[in-house]
Amino acid sequence: MAFSAVAQLIVSARNAGASVGPFWIPVHGTDPALKLVAAGGKITSALGYDIIFAEDPKGAARLPFRLVKYDSSTGEIRAWVRVQSISSAYSTVFYCLIGDATVTTDQSDVAGTYAGLRAAYGWDGYPGSLITTDLTGGGRNGTAHGTVSASNAFLGSGAYFGGSNSYLDCGSDFAFPSGTAGIGPYTFECWFRFTGSFSTNYPFLLQRRSTSGGAKGFTIYVDPDFAPNARKLICNWADGSDHYSI
């Protein structure tokens, strides 16, 4: 393949609170080069097939990615790119390669993007209905309860929860690693945004609980009072901005 343009993308070490791997980087931008050739850009496929991400500027070491949106008329792209790691000690560099008329098939790799995860959710669908499908293919799809809908979000779509009893139930078949405390090592991550302020009601980001009453569970939620508790996320990020938690 011979791509006509290459862009270097950099995640500054200052933006990484810790060294983490693997990591899913959100890529969102609009550039004239991302328009179709007929519109003065360099893309040859109206579906964005000739867009890839790689560790090197020649595209030899490709990175798996999920193309969330591509607009050939405006040159807008929204994608999740999986990198092996990001570092708080040095910047993470990767590349976007575009423009190859010989590419006629979709180069995105949803399965590779989320390989190794128990579940992954994009909460796609905006401005239509919310899609709660587990992107790993594991079948742990979400079921909406209360007022839950698709809403404009960080990469174009997200789940909006309107009301104190609104949530998505993603099932019980997660098989967390066992450990001395009932649950072994695990990692959860999410992007979130609060559209209003709160003072006493602590919004939950994620919760695991048992119906039997004997198994241990956990709750990750936002505490506006900064009260110390090892089992919750301590922050005051109810500011209307997008935030990342891991």
Side-chain angles (χ1 to χ4, degrees), residues 71-87:
D71 190 323
S72 61
S73 62
T74 64
E76 180 187 12
I77 184 174
R78 300 174 188 241
W80 289 103
V81 182
R82 176 175 177 153
V83 296
Q84 294 187 22
S85 64
I86 61 170
S87 173

Side-chain angles (χ1 to χ4, degrees), residues 216-230:
K216 297 181 182 297
F218 56 82
T219 299
I220 301 175
Y221 62 93
V222 174
D223 176 14
D225 300 322
F226 292 87
N229 188 319

Side-chain angles (χ1 to χ4, degrees), residues 143-149 162 165-167:
T143 300
H145 297 265
T147 305
V148 183
S149 61
N165 294 313
S166 299
Y167 64 95

Side-chain angles (χ1 to χ4, degrees), residues 107-126:
Q107 300 299 297
S108 61
D109 179 9
V110 176
T113 302
Y114 301 110
L117 300 183
R118 294 300 296 171
Y121 306 95
W123 310 133
D124 299 327
Y126 180 81

